[in-house]
């Protein structure tokens, strides 16, 4: 299991910090654990700070006034995020939410400490904007899919992405869970999955989708 000292050394900007800043960041960093489904950031929580995923995965999303979730991107092991420190980046004027998709451990550097170091160290500030730009690119891709791609393409892309991520053709996820992931309604996802099944692309069972024709799905997505 990764300990705090090892996790700190893995920070992309760690080698650019002088000794005093390393000590300061270390004093204001902590490893936090979250269970699957637990809210990591949002819903009135205080500004979390920057996060580095040590293990597990997170989903970042927007929440409409009607309660609809729009998935923006996911964070996997080894990936950083600064949107959870939006109070540091004054240019961010919208609220994002973050939930643990699986049991996970995060290295969290407090927002106040990261803000101070970013103001003092140009390398840290560059890191902050570089990561933010990468995440906004992911957001734009998600919005492009929602606005311009049909549900069949989005669903097929999601299923093939899960296969490539896990190496398994068995996806243990409910239709409601899939709908949340691709920002759609459960009923619409259920109809499209049923059509995929009729076309021999997948096999459905309770809480599970088995991919029968990955190449066929890729052609759709």
């Amino acid at each position: 299991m990764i300990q705090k000292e090892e996790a700190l050394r893995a920070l992309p900007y760690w080698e650019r910090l002088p000794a005093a800043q390393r000590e300061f960041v270390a004093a204001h960093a902590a490893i936090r654990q979250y269970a699957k489904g637990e809210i990591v950031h949002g819903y009135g929580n205080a500004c979390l700070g920057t996060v580095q995923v040590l293990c597990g995965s997170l989903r970042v999303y927007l929440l409409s006034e009607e309660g609809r979730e729009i998935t923006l991107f996911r964070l996997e092991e080894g990936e950083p995020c600064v949107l959870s420190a939006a109070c540091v980046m004054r240019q961010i004027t919208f609220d994002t939410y973050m939930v643990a998709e699986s049991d996970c451990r995060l290295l969290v550097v407090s927002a106040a400490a990261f803000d101070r170091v970013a103001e003092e160290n140009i390398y840290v500030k560059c890191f902050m904007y570089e990561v933010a730009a990468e995440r906004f690119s992911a957001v734009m891709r998600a919005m492009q899919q929602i606005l311009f791609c049909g549900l069949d393409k989005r669903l097929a892309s999601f299923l093939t992405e899960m296969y490539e991520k896990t190496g398994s053709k068995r996806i243990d996820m409910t239709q409601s869970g899939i709908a949340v992931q691709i920002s759609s309604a459960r009923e619409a996802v259920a109809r499209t999955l049923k059509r995929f099944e009729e076309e021999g692309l997948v096999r459905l069972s309770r809480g599970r989708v088995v991919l029968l024709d990955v190449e066929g799905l890729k052609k759709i997505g």
Side-chain angles (χ1 to χ4, degrees), residues 41-48 59-65 68-73 81-98 136 139 143:
H41 172 69
Y43 295 95
N45 294 348
C47 189
L48 178 65
R59 182 172 64 91
V60 181
Y61 61 96
L62 294 176
L63 187 67
S64 72
E65 292 183 357
R68 180 187 174 189
E69 295 180 6
I70 300 177
T71 298
L72 300 178
F73 56 85
C81 188
V82 297
L83 294 187
S84 50
C87 52
V88 174
M89 298 187 66
R90 284 82 182 175
Q91 296 87 346
I92 299 177
T93 57
F94 58 90
D95 294 325
T96 57
Y97 301 83
M98 187 179 290
F136 279 121
V139 170
M143 293 298 102

Side-chain angles (χ1 to χ4, degrees), residues 75-138:
L75 294 170
E76 305 291 342
E77 182 177 330
E79 293 187 316
C81 188
V82 297
L83 294 187
S84 50
C87 52
V88 174
M89 298 187 66
R90 284 82 182 175
Q91 296 87 346
I92 299 177
T93 57
F94 58 90
D95 294 325
T96 57
Y97 301 83
M98 187 179 290
V99 63
E101 281 198 313
S102 62
D103 293 348
C104 61
R105 299 175 77 239
L106 310 176
L107 175 67
V108 179
V109 178
S110 75
F114 185 82
D115 186 25
R116 173 174 155 179
V117 174
E119 288 300 316
E120 297 174 351
N121 192 312
I122 187 62
Y123 294 106
V124 178
K125 179 161 285 190
C126 287
F127 160 81
M128 176 176 70
Y129 284 114
E130 181 179 347
V131 172
E134 291 175 358
R135 300 302 166 226
F136 279 121
S137 293

Side-chain angles (χ1 to χ4, degrees), residues 170-185:
R170 193 182 81 179
I171 300 173
D172 293 318
M173 189 177 294
T174 66
Q175 294 177 0
S176 296
I178 294 174
V180 168
Q181 294 288 343
I182 65 173
S183 305
S184 184

Side-chain angles (χ1 to χ4, degrees), residues 27 40 73 80 160 187 193 200 218:
V40 177
F73 56 85
T160 55
E187 296 78 6
L193 282 173
K218 286 182 178 179

